[in-house]
Amino acid sequence: MRIATWNVNSIRARAERVLAWLERSDTDVLLLQETKVKDEQFPSLLFEAAGYEVACHGLNQWNGVAIVSRVGITDVQRGFDDQPTWGEPPVAEARAIGATCAGLRLWSVYVPNGRTLADPHYEYKLRWLAALRDQAAGWAATGGPLALMGDWNVAPRDEDVWDIAVFDGATHVSPPEREAFAAFADAGLVEITRQLAPGKYTYWDYQRLRFPRNEGMRIDFAWTSPALAERVQQVWIDRDERKGKGASDHVPVVLELAQT
């Protein structure tokens, strides 16, 4: 069984590319971020025609998350309890969706960017991560197979960016962000992707020839419960999906699981 996460940077712009990748990779469940559509605009019919059920959460042209599955979707939850809000008026943005697929409790998460260290969005990001961590501790305590996968907008180690000096005084690498990310281990979770696929990037900016120069970042991860981590046989990052016309700036990260 294969589950994957992918920030697609607009599902309407890349639906056909995502469908082609699903077929080529033989992925059972795909967790999407930055879909950038309201629920009624999600191209669900295309995925349903390919044999996938869809659960999506989108409020406007910003953010947006979804889960597509060919092994069933039940118990869908849009957003999590005590999720911090943003904006005027304050809104719980479309940044998290959970569902149960083939007995796995899966969450697609799109962590706020933070913008700059002086921006209120940075404090929002830290509050958002802390609130998610508190919820995840409760979910993990059940002992079942659980995964929180997505775009975390944090590079937890210096090796997760092409040149740490470039990021001096910037978001994604600040100590508070890294501490907030690491706190998910204290919640009883295991970040499985680095263990099985070390030293690889998952994101390259569109500007300044970042991809050809391999000036990337590793910001897409999977925090899993021990029960699920034990089933992970392989992790692979599909770097080739950053190539060609119409690519997202992120690539899929895939977990291959042993059947129970």
Side-chain angles (χ1 to χ4, degrees), residues 1-6 21-22 25-33 52 67-72 99-108 145-150 192-193 221-225 227-229 231-238 251-259:
M1 181 177 178
R2 289 175 178 163
I3 57 176
T5 179
W6 192 1
W21 182 83
L22 283 170
S25 66
D26 196 28
T27 294
D28 297 292
V29 185
L30 177 59
L31 284 61
L32 298 166
Q33 302 88 43
Y52 288 82
I67 299 173
V68 300
S69 169
R70 65 181 182 187
V71 292
T100 300
C101 305
L104 310 178
R105 189 62 182 169
L106 304 176
W107 280 86
S108 177
L146 167 73
L148 282 67
M149 302 173 62
I192 196 67
T193 69
F221 296 96
W223 283 102
T224 65
S225 64
L228 185 56
R231 291 178 55 186
V232 180
Q233 297 180 312
Q234 183 180 3
V235 173
W236 46 284
I237 296 169
D238 195 347
V251 294
V253 180
V254 185
L255 276 57
E256 190 158 340
L257 310 180
Q259 295 289 355

Short mmCIF file of all heavy atoms in Angstrom, two decimals, residues 1-6 21-22 25-33 52 67-72 99-108 145-150 192-193 221-225 227-229 231-238 251-259:
data_model
loop_
_atom_site.label_atom_id
_atom_site.label_comp_id
_atom_site.label_asym_id
_atom_site.label_seq_id
_atom_site.Cartn_x
_atom_site.Cartn_y
_atom_site.Cartn_z
N MET A 1 0.85 -1.19 0.00
CA MET A 1 0.00 0.00 0.00
C MET A 1 0.88 1.23 0.00
O MET A 1 1.90 1.27 0.70
CB MET A 1 -0.91 0.00 1.22
CG MET A 1 -1.85 1.18 1.31
SD MET A 1 -2.95 1.07 2.72
CE MET A 1 -3.84 2.61 2.55
N ARG A 2 0.50 2.23 -0.78
CA ARG A 2 1.28 3.46 -0.86
C ARG A 2 0.42 4.67 -0.50
O ARG A 2 -0.69 4.83 -1.02
CB ARG A 2 1.84 3.64 -2.27
CG ARG A 2 2.95 2.65 -2.60
CD ARG A 2 3.41 2.75 -4.02
NE ARG A 2 4.50 1.82 -4.28
CZ ARG A 2 4.91 1.44 -5.48
NH1 ARG A 2 4.32 1.94 -6.57
NH2 ARG A 2 5.90 0.59 -5.62
N ILE A 3 0.96 5.51 0.39
CA ILE A 3 0.34 6.78 0.71
C ILE A 3 1.37 7.87 0.44
O ILE A 3 2.58 7.66 0.62
CB ILE A 3 -0.18 6.84 2.16
CG1 ILE A 3 0.96 6.57 3.16
CG2 ILE A 3 -1.30 5.85 2.36
CD1 ILE A 3 0.52 6.70 4.61
N ALA A 4 0.90 9.02 0.00
CA ALA A 4 1.82 10.08 -0.42
C ALA A 4 1.28 11.43 -0.03
O ALA A 4 0.08 11.61 0.19
CB ALA A 4 2.05 10.01 -1.93
N THR A 5 2.18 12.40 0.02
CA THR A 5 1.81 13.80 0.23
C THR A 5 2.42 14.64 -0.88
O THR A 5 3.52 14.36 -1.36
CB THR A 5 2.29 14.29 1.61
OG1 THR A 5 1.93 15.67 1.78
CG2 THR A 5 3.80 14.16 1.78
N TRP A 6 1.68 15.70 -1.27
CA TRP A 6 2.15 16.54 -2.38
C TRP A 6 1.46 17.90 -2.30
O TRP A 6 0.24 18.00 -2.34
CB TRP A 6 1.81 15.87 -3.70
CG TRP A 6 2.46 16.43 -4.93
CD1 TRP A 6 3.33 17.47 -5.02
CD2 TRP A 6 2.28 15.96 -6.28
NE1 TRP A 6 3.71 17.68 -6.30
CE2 TRP A 6 3.09 16.76 -7.10
CE3 TRP A 6 1.52 14.93 -6.85
CZ2 TRP A 6 3.13 16.58 -8.49
CZ3 TRP A 6 1.57 14.75 -8.21
CH2 TRP A 6 2.38 15.57 -9.03
N TRP A 21 0.35 10.94 -12.48
CA TRP A 21 1.31 10.48 -11.48
C TRP A 21 0.69 9.38 -10.62
O TRP A 21 1.37 8.38 -10.30
CB TRP A 21 1.77 11.63 -10.60
CG TRP A 21 2.78 11.19 -9.59
CD1 TRP A 21 4.12 11.04 -9.80
CD2 TRP A 21 2.53 10.80 -8.24
NE1 TRP A 21 4.72 10.57 -8.64
CE2 TRP A 21 3.78 10.42 -7.68
CE3 TRP A 21 1.39 10.73 -7.45
CZ2 TRP A 21 3.89 9.98 -6.36
CZ3 TRP A 21 1.51 10.30 -6.14
CH2 TRP A 21 2.75 9.92 -5.61
N LEU A 22 -0.57 9.51 -10.23
CA LEU A 22 -1.22 8.47 -9.44
C LEU A 22 -1.19 7.13 -10.17
O LEU A 22 -0.91 6.08 -9.58
CB LEU A 22 -2.66 8.87 -9.14
CG LEU A 22 -2.86 9.90 -8.03
CD1 LEU A 22 -4.31 10.38 -8.01
CD2 LEU A 22 -2.49 9.33 -6.67
N SER A 25 2.57 5.88 -10.42
CA SER A 25 3.18 5.52 -9.14
C SER A 25 2.40 4.45 -8.39
O SER A 25 2.89 3.91 -7.40
CB SER A 25 3.29 6.76 -8.25
OG SER A 25 1.99 7.23 -7.89
N ASP A 26 1.18 4.15 -8.85
CA ASP A 26 0.33 3.15 -8.20
C ASP A 26 0.08 3.51 -6.74
O ASP A 26 0.13 2.66 -5.84
CB ASP A 26 0.97 1.77 -8.31
CG ASP A 26 -0.01 0.63 -8.03
OD1 ASP A 26 -1.21 0.82 -8.27
OD2 ASP A 26 0.44 -0.44 -7.57
N THR A 27 -0.21 4.78 -6.50
CA THR A 27 -0.45 5.28 -5.14
C THR A 27 -1.92 5.09 -4.76
O THR A 27 -2.82 5.38 -5.54
CB THR A 27 -0.05 6.76 -5.04
OG1 THR A 27 1.37 6.85 -5.22
CG2 THR A 27 -0.42 7.36 -3.70
N ASP A 28 -2.16 4.64 -3.53
CA ASP A 28 -3.51 4.36 -3.06
C ASP A 28 -4.18 5.58 -2.44
O ASP A 28 -5.38 5.80 -2.63
CB ASP A 28 -3.47 3.22 -2.04
CG ASP A 28 -2.97 1.93 -2.65
OD1 ASP A 28 -3.68 1.35 -3.49
OD2 ASP A 28 -1.85 1.50 -2.30
N VAL A 29 -3.42 6.36 -1.68
CA VAL A 29 -3.97 7.54 -1.01
C VAL A 29 -2.99 8.69 -1.19
O VAL A 29 -1.80 8.55 -0.90
CB VAL A 29 -4.19 7.30 0.50
CG1 VAL A 29 -4.88 8.51 1.12
CG2 VAL A 29 -5.00 6.03 0.75
N LEU A 30 -3.50 9.82 -1.66
CA LEU A 30 -2.68 11.01 -1.85
C LEU A 30 -3.24 12.16 -1.03
O LEU A 30 -4.42 12.50 -1.15
CB LEU A 30 -2.64 11.40 -3.33
CG LEU A 30 -1.87 12.68 -3.69
CD1 LEU A 30 -0.42 12.59 -3.26
CD2 LEU A 30 -1.98 12.96 -5.18
N LEU A 31 -2.38 12.74 -0.20
CA LEU A 31 -2.74 13.90 0.61
C LEU A 31 -2.21 15.15 -0.08
O LEU A 31 -1.01 15.26 -0.34
CB LEU A 31 -2.15 13.77 2.02
CG LEU A 31 -2.85 12.80 2.98
CD1 LEU A 31 -2.83 11.37 2.47
CD2 LEU A 31 -2.21 12.87 4.36
N LEU A 32 -3.11 16.06 -0.39
CA LEU A 32 -2.78 17.24 -1.18
C LEU A 32 -2.80 18.50 -0.32
O LEU A 32 -3.60 18.63 0.60
CB LEU A 32 -3.78 17.42 -2.32
CG LEU A 32 -3.84 16.28 -3.35
CD1 LEU A 32 -5.09 16.43 -4.21
CD2 LEU A 32 -2.60 16.29 -4.21
N GLN A 33 -1.93 19.44 -0.67
CA GLN A 33 -1.94 20.76 -0.04
C GLN A 33 -1.90 21.85 -1.11
O GLN A 33 -1.50 21.61 -2.24
CB GLN A 33 -0.73 20.95 0.89
CG GLN A 33 -0.64 19.92 2.01
CD GLN A 33 0.12 18.70 1.59
OE1 GLN A 33 1.16 18.79 0.94
NE2 GLN A 33 -0.38 17.51 1.93
N TYR A 52 -10.93 7.10 -7.59
CA TYR A 52 -10.56 7.69 -6.31
C TYR A 52 -11.74 8.46 -5.72
O TYR A 52 -12.40 9.23 -6.41
CB TYR A 52 -9.37 8.63 -6.46
CG TYR A 52 -8.06 7.93 -6.72
CD1 TYR A 52 -7.70 7.52 -8.00
CD2 TYR A 52 -7.17 7.68 -5.68
CE1 TYR A 52 -6.50 6.86 -8.24
CE2 TYR A 52 -5.96 7.02 -5.91
CZ TYR A 52 -5.64 6.61 -7.19
OH TYR A 52 -4.45 5.97 -7.42
N ILE A 67 -7.80 14.95 0.41
CA ILE A 67 -7.35 13.57 0.43
C ILE A 67 -8.08 12.85 -0.68
O ILE A 67 -9.31 12.94 -0.79
CB ILE A 67 -7.64 12.90 1.79
CG1 ILE A 67 -6.91 13.63 2.92
CG2 ILE A 67 -7.24 11.42 1.76
CD1 ILE A 67 -7.27 13.13 4.31
N VAL A 68 -7.34 12.16 -1.52
CA VAL A 68 -7.96 11.32 -2.55
C VAL A 68 -7.52 9.89 -2.29
O VAL A 68 -6.35 9.62 -2.03
CB VAL A 68 -7.60 11.78 -3.98
CG1 VAL A 68 -8.08 13.21 -4.21
CG2 VAL A 68 -6.12 11.67 -4.27
N SER A 69 -8.48 8.95 -2.35
CA SER A 69 -8.20 7.58 -1.94
C SER A 69 -8.97 6.59 -2.80
O SER A 69 -10.15 6.79 -3.10
CB SER A 69 -8.61 7.39 -0.47
OG SER A 69 -8.60 6.04 -0.10
N ARG A 70 -8.31 5.48 -3.15
CA ARG A 70 -8.99 4.40 -3.83
C ARG A 70 -9.21 3.21 -2.90
O ARG A 70 -9.58 2.12 -3.32
CB ARG A 70 -8.18 3.96 -5.06
CG ARG A 70 -6.83 3.35 -4.77
CD ARG A 70 -6.11 2.96 -6.05
NE ARG A 70 -4.82 2.32 -5.78
CZ ARG A 70 -3.94 2.00 -6.72
NH1 ARG A 70 -4.20 2.28 -7.99
NH2 ARG A 70 -2.82 1.41 -6.40
N VAL A 71 -8.98 3.44 -1.58
CA VAL A 71 -9.22 2.40 -0.58
C VAL A 71 -10.22 2.86 0.47
O VAL A 71 -10.26 2.35 1.58
CB VAL A 71 -7.89 1.96 0.09
CG1 VAL A 71 -6.99 1.25 -0.91
CG2 VAL A 71 -7.15 3.15 0.71
N GLY A 72 -11.05 3.84 0.09
CA GLY A 72 -12.11 4.32 0.96
C GLY A 72 -11.74 5.56 1.75
O GLY A 72 -10.56 5.82 2.02
N ALA A 99 -8.96 12.02 7.63
CA ALA A 99 -9.89 10.98 7.22
C ALA A 99 -9.28 9.62 7.52
O ALA A 99 -8.05 9.50 7.69
CB ALA A 99 -10.22 11.08 5.73
N THR A 100 -10.13 8.62 7.58
CA THR A 100 -9.68 7.25 7.75
C THR A 100 -9.74 6.53 6.42
O THR A 100 -10.79 6.52 5.77
CB THR A 100 -10.53 6.52 8.80
OG1 THR A 100 -10.42 7.21 10.05
CG2 THR A 100 -10.07 5.08 8.98
N CYS A 101 -8.62 5.95 6.01
CA CYS A 101 -8.51 5.25 4.73
C CYS A 101 -7.87 3.89 4.99
O CYS A 101 -6.73 3.83 5.45
CB CYS A 101 -7.65 6.05 3.74
SG CYS A 101 -8.21 7.75 3.45
N ALA A 102 -8.62 2.84 4.71
CA ALA A 102 -8.13 1.47 4.91
C ALA A 102 -7.58 1.27 6.32
O ALA A 102 -6.54 0.65 6.52
CB ALA A 102 -7.08 1.12 3.87
N GLY A 103 -8.27 1.85 7.31
CA GLY A 103 -7.87 1.67 8.69
C GLY A 103 -6.79 2.61 9.18
O GLY A 103 -6.41 2.55 10.36
N LEU A 104 -6.29 3.48 8.32
CA LEU A 104 -5.26 4.45 8.70
C LEU A 104 -5.90 5.80 8.94
O LEU A 104 -6.70 6.27 8.11
CB LEU A 104 -4.21 4.59 7.60
CG LEU A 104 -3.59 3.31 7.03
CD1 LEU A 104 -2.62 3.66 5.91
CD2 LEU A 104 -2.89 2.52 8.12
N ARG A 105 -5.54 6.45 10.02
CA ARG A 105 -6.01 7.81 10.26
C ARG A 105 -4.97 8.77 9.68
O ARG A 105 -3.83 8.86 10.15
CB ARG A 105 -6.19 8.07 11.76
CG ARG A 105 -6.89 9.40 12.05
CD ARG A 105 -8.29 9.42 11.47
NE ARG A 105 -8.97 10.71 11.69
CZ ARG A 105 -10.11 11.05 11.10
NH1 ARG A 105 -10.69 10.20 10.24
NH2 ARG A 105 -10.66 12.22 11.33
N LEU A 106 -5.37 9.48 8.63
CA LEU A 106 -4.43 10.31 7.87
C LEU A 106 -4.87 11.77 7.92
O LEU A 106 -6.05 12.09 7.78
CB LEU A 106 -4.38 9.85 6.41
CG LEU A 106 -4.02 8.37 6.20
CD1 LEU A 106 -4.10 8.03 4.72
CD2 LEU A 106 -2.65 8.05 6.76
N TRP A 107 -3.88 12.65 8.08
CA TRP A 107 -4.12 14.09 8.06
C TRP A 107 -3.23 14.74 7.01
O TRP A 107 -2.01 14.52 6.99
CB TRP A 107 -3.80 14.71 9.43
CG TRP A 107 -4.91 14.51 10.42
CD1 TRP A 107 -5.11 13.44 11.24
CD2 TRP A 107 -5.98 15.41 10.68
NE1 TRP A 107 -6.23 13.62 12.00
CE2 TRP A 107 -6.80 14.82 11.68
CE3 TRP A 107 -6.34 16.66 10.17
CZ2 TRP A 107 -7.94 15.44 12.17
CZ3 TRP A 107 -7.48 17.28 10.67
CH2 TRP A 107 -8.27 16.67 11.65
N SER A 108 -3.84 15.54 6.15
CA SER A 108 -3.11 16.39 5.22
C SER A 108 -3.00 17.76 5.85
O SER A 108 -4.02 18.39 6.17
CB SER A 108 -3.86 16.48 3.88
OG SER A 108 -3.20 17.36 2.99
N PRO A 145 -2.82 3.35 13.94
CA PRO A 145 -1.97 3.85 12.85
C PRO A 145 -2.39 5.26 12.43
O PRO A 145 -3.54 5.49 12.05
CB PRO A 145 -2.21 2.83 11.72
CG PRO A 145 -3.53 2.22 12.02
CD PRO A 145 -3.69 2.24 13.51
N LEU A 146 -1.47 6.19 12.53
CA LEU A 146 -1.75 7.62 12.33
C LEU A 146 -0.61 8.24 11.55
O LEU A 146 0.56 7.91 11.79
CB LEU A 146 -1.89 8.31 13.69
CG LEU A 146 -1.87 9.84 13.72
CD1 LEU A 146 -3.17 10.41 13.16
CD2 LEU A 146 -1.64 10.34 15.16
N ALA A 147 -0.94 9.15 10.63
CA ALA A 147 0.10 9.92 9.94
C ALA A 147 -0.37 11.34 9.71
O ALA A 147 -1.51 11.56 9.30
CB ALA A 147 0.46 9.27 8.61
N LEU A 148 0.49 12.29 10.01
CA LEU A 148 0.30 13.70 9.68
C LEU A 148 1.32 14.02 8.60
O LEU A 148 2.53 14.03 8.86
CB LEU A 148 0.53 14.60 10.90
CG LEU A 148 -0.57 14.71 11.95
CD1 LEU A 148 -0.75 13.39 12.69
CD2 LEU A 148 -0.23 15.82 12.94
N MET A 149 0.84 14.25 7.39
CA MET A 149 1.73 14.42 6.25
C MET A 149 1.41 15.72 5.53
O MET A 149 0.25 16.12 5.45
CB MET A 149 1.56 13.25 5.28
CG MET A 149 1.83 11.89 5.91
SD MET A 149 1.43 10.47 4.83
CE MET A 149 2.56 10.72 3.47
N GLY A 150 2.45 16.37 5.02
CA GLY A 150 2.18 17.59 4.27
C GLY A 150 3.36 18.51 4.17
O GLY A 150 4.52 18.13 4.35
N ILE A 192 9.22 9.80 9.83
CA ILE A 192 9.73 8.60 9.18
C ILE A 192 10.48 8.88 7.89
O ILE A 192 11.32 8.08 7.47
CB ILE A 192 8.58 7.61 8.92
CG1 ILE A 192 9.10 6.20 8.61
CG2 ILE A 192 7.66 8.12 7.81
CD1 ILE A 192 9.79 5.55 9.77
N THR A 193 10.26 10.01 7.24
CA THR A 193 10.81 10.19 5.89
C THR A 193 12.33 10.36 5.91
O THR A 193 13.03 9.87 5.04
CB THR A 193 10.17 11.38 5.16
OG1 THR A 193 10.58 12.61 5.76
CG2 THR A 193 8.65 11.28 5.17
N PHE A 221 7.10 16.52 5.09
CA PHE A 221 7.44 15.43 6.00
C PHE A 221 6.20 14.62 6.37
O PHE A 221 5.07 15.02 6.09
CB PHE A 221 8.06 15.99 7.28
CG PHE A 221 9.37 16.71 7.08
CD1 PHE A 221 9.42 18.09 6.94
CD2 PHE A 221 10.56 16.00 7.05
CE1 PHE A 221 10.62 18.75 6.76
CE2 PHE A 221 11.77 16.65 6.86
CZ PHE A 221 11.80 18.03 6.72
N ALA A 222 6.46 13.49 7.05
CA ALA A 222 5.39 12.64 7.55
C ALA A 222 5.69 12.25 9.00
O ALA A 222 6.64 11.50 9.26
CB ALA A 222 5.26 11.39 6.69
N TRP A 223 4.91 12.77 9.92
CA TRP A 223 4.97 12.34 11.32
C TRP A 223 3.98 11.20 11.48
O TRP A 223 2.79 11.36 11.23
CB TRP A 223 4.61 13.49 12.26
CG TRP A 223 5.68 14.51 12.48
CD1 TRP A 223 5.78 15.74 11.92
CD2 TRP A 223 6.81 14.37 13.36
NE1 TRP A 223 6.90 16.38 12.38
CE2 TRP A 223 7.54 15.58 13.27
CE3 TRP A 223 7.27 13.36 14.21
CZ2 TRP A 223 8.72 15.79 14.00
CZ3 TRP A 223 8.43 13.57 14.94
CH2 TRP A 223 9.14 14.77 14.83
N THR A 224 4.46 10.04 11.91
CA THR A 224 3.62 8.86 12.02
C THR A 224 3.64 8.31 13.44
O THR A 224 4.59 8.50 14.19
CB THR A 224 4.10 7.76 11.06
OG1 THR A 224 5.40 7.32 11.46
CG2 THR A 224 4.15 8.26 9.63
N SER A 225 2.56 7.61 13.79
CA SER A 225 2.54 6.90 15.06
C SER A 225 3.49 5.71 14.97
O SER A 225 3.78 5.22 13.88
CB SER A 225 1.12 6.42 15.36
OG SER A 225 0.71 5.47 14.39
N ALA A 227 2.87 2.70 15.52
CA ALA A 227 2.16 1.59 14.88
C ALA A 227 2.24 1.67 13.37
O ALA A 227 2.34 0.64 12.68
CB ALA A 227 0.70 1.57 15.34
N LEU A 228 2.22 2.88 12.82
CA LEU A 228 2.33 3.03 11.37
C LEU A 228 3.79 3.01 10.93
O LEU A 228 4.12 2.43 9.88
CB LEU A 228 1.66 4.33 10.92
CG LEU A 228 1.60 4.55 9.41
CD1 LEU A 228 0.91 3.39 8.71
CD2 LEU A 228 0.90 5.85 9.08
N ALA A 229 4.66 3.61 11.72
CA ALA A 229 6.08 3.63 11.36
C ALA A 229 6.63 2.22 11.18
O ALA A 229 7.47 1.97 10.31
CB ALA A 229 6.88 4.37 12.44
N ARG A 231 5.21 -0.19 9.90
CA ARG A 231 4.76 -0.76 8.64
C ARG A 231 5.44 -0.12 7.42
O ARG A 231 5.30 -0.62 6.31
CB ARG A 231 3.24 -0.59 8.49
CG ARG A 231 2.44 -1.45 9.44
CD ARG A 231 0.95 -1.20 9.29
NE ARG A 231 0.50 -1.39 7.91
CZ ARG A 231 -0.75 -1.10 7.49
NH1 ARG A 231 -1.64 -0.63 8.36
NH2 ARG A 231 -1.09 -1.29 6.23
N VAL A 232 6.16 0.98 7.63
CA VAL A 232 6.78 1.67 6.50
C VAL A 232 8.02 0.89 6.05
O VAL A 232 8.98 0.74 6.79
CB VAL A 232 7.16 3.12 6.86
CG1 VAL A 232 7.81 3.80 5.66
CG2 VAL A 232 5.93 3.90 7.31
N GLN A 233 7.99 0.42 4.82
CA GLN A 233 9.09 -0.36 4.27
C GLN A 233 10.06 0.49 3.45
O GLN A 233 11.23 0.19 3.35
CB GLN A 233 8.54 -1.48 3.39
CG GLN A 233 7.71 -2.51 4.13
CD GLN A 233 7.19 -3.59 3.22
OE1 GLN A 233 6.66 -3.32 2.14
NE2 GLN A 233 7.33 -4.84 3.64
N GLN A 234 9.51 1.56 2.85
CA GLN A 234 10.32 2.39 1.97
C GLN A 234 9.72 3.78 1.90
O GLN A 234 8.50 3.96 2.00
CB GLN A 234 10.35 1.76 0.57
CG GLN A 234 11.23 2.50 -0.44
CD GLN A 234 11.22 1.82 -1.80
OE1 GLN A 234 10.52 0.84 -2.02
NE2 GLN A 234 12.00 2.35 -2.73
N VAL A 235 10.58 4.78 1.75
CA VAL A 235 10.17 6.16 1.48
C VAL A 235 10.89 6.62 0.23
O VAL A 235 12.10 6.39 0.10
CB VAL A 235 10.50 7.10 2.66
CG1 VAL A 235 10.22 8.55 2.28
CG2 VAL A 235 9.72 6.72 3.90
N TRP A 236 10.17 7.25 -0.69
CA TRP A 236 10.85 7.82 -1.84
C TRP A 236 10.27 9.18 -2.19
O TRP A 236 9.10 9.46 -1.95
CB TRP A 236 10.85 6.90 -3.05
CG TRP A 236 9.58 6.22 -3.42
CD1 TRP A 236 9.01 5.15 -2.80
CD2 TRP A 236 8.71 6.54 -4.52
NE1 TRP A 236 7.85 4.78 -3.44
CE2 TRP A 236 7.65 5.61 -4.49
CE3 TRP A 236 8.74 7.52 -5.51
CZ2 TRP A 236 6.61 5.64 -5.43
CZ3 TRP A 236 7.71 7.54 -6.44
CH2 TRP A 236 6.67 6.62 -6.39
N ILE A 237 11.16 10.03 -2.65
CA ILE A 237 10.83 11.40 -3.03
C ILE A 237 10.96 11.49 -4.54
O ILE A 237 12.04 11.25 -5.09
CB ILE A 237 11.77 12.39 -2.33
CG1 ILE A 237 11.56 12.32 -0.80
CG2 ILE A 237 11.54 13.81 -2.84
CD1 ILE A 237 12.61 13.06 -0.01
N ASP A 238 9.86 11.81 -5.21
CA ASP A 238 9.84 11.75 -6.67
C ASP A 238 10.33 13.08 -7.26
O ASP A 238 9.54 13.92 -7.70
CB ASP A 238 8.44 11.41 -7.17
CG ASP A 238 8.44 10.99 -8.63
OD1 ASP A 238 9.47 11.21 -9.31
OD2 ASP A 238 7.43 10.44 -9.09
N VAL A 251 7.45 18.32 -4.71
CA VAL A 251 7.33 17.00 -5.33
C VAL A 251 6.69 16.04 -4.33
O VAL A 251 6.68 16.27 -3.13
CB VAL A 251 8.70 16.46 -5.77
CG1 VAL A 251 9.27 17.32 -6.90
CG2 VAL A 251 9.67 16.35 -4.61
N PRO A 252 6.16 14.92 -4.83
CA PRO A 252 5.52 13.94 -3.95
C PRO A 252 6.54 13.24 -3.04
O PRO A 252 7.67 12.96 -3.45
CB PRO A 252 4.89 12.92 -4.92
CG PRO A 252 4.82 13.62 -6.25
CD PRO A 252 5.98 14.56 -6.25
N VAL A 253 6.09 12.96 -1.83
CA VAL A 253 6.84 12.13 -0.89
C VAL A 253 5.95 10.92 -0.60
O VAL A 253 4.82 11.07 -0.16
CB VAL A 253 7.15 12.89 0.41
CG1 VAL A 253 7.92 12.00 1.38
CG2 VAL A 253 7.93 14.17 0.12
N VAL A 254 6.49 9.72 -0.84
CA VAL A 254 5.69 8.50 -0.84
C VAL A 254 6.15 7.55 0.26
O VAL A 254 7.36 7.31 0.42
CB VAL A 254 5.78 7.77 -2.20
CG1 VAL A 254 4.84 6.58 -2.24
CG2 VAL A 254 5.49 8.74 -3.33
N LEU A 255 5.19 7.01 1.01
CA LEU A 255 5.46 5.97 2.00
C LEU A 255 4.88 4.66 1.47
O LEU A 255 3.70 4.60 1.11
CB LEU A 255 4.78 6.29 3.34
CG LEU A 255 5.50 7.21 4.31
CD1 LEU A 255 5.82 8.57 3.69
CD2 LEU A 255 4.68 7.38 5.58
N GLU A 256 5.70 3.66 1.42
CA GLU A 256 5.25 2.33 1.02
C GLU A 256 5.10 1.48 2.28
O GLU A 256 6.06 1.31 3.04
CB GLU A 256 6.23 1.70 0.05
CG GLU A 256 5.71 0.43 -0.58
CD GLU A 256 6.41 0.10 -1.90
OE1 GLU A 256 7.00 0.99 -2.51
OE2 GLU A 256 6.34 -1.08 -2.27
N LEU A 257 3.89 0.96 2.48
CA LEU A 257 3.56 0.25 3.72
C LEU A 257 3.40 -1.24 3.48
O LEU A 257 2.88 -1.66 2.44
CB LEU A 257 2.26 0.78 4.31
CG LEU A 257 2.09 2.29 4.49
CD1 LEU A 257 0.73 2.59 5.09
CD2 LEU A 257 3.21 2.86 5.34
N ALA A 258 3.79 -2.02 4.48
CA ALA A 258 3.48 -3.44 4.47
C ALA A 258 2.01 -3.62 4.83
O ALA A 258 1.47 -2.89 5.68
CB ALA A 258 4.36 -4.18 5.47
N GLN A 259 1.36 -4.57 4.23
CA GLN A 259 -0.01 -4.89 4.58
C GLN A 259 -0.04 -5.58 5.95
O GLN A 259 0.90 -6.30 6.31
CB GLN A 259 -0.65 -5.81 3.54
CG GLN A 259 -0.81 -5.15 2.17
CD GLN A 259 -1.89 -4.08 2.13
OE1 GLN A 259 -2.59 -3.85 3.09
NE2 GLN A 259 -2.01 -3.43 0.98
#
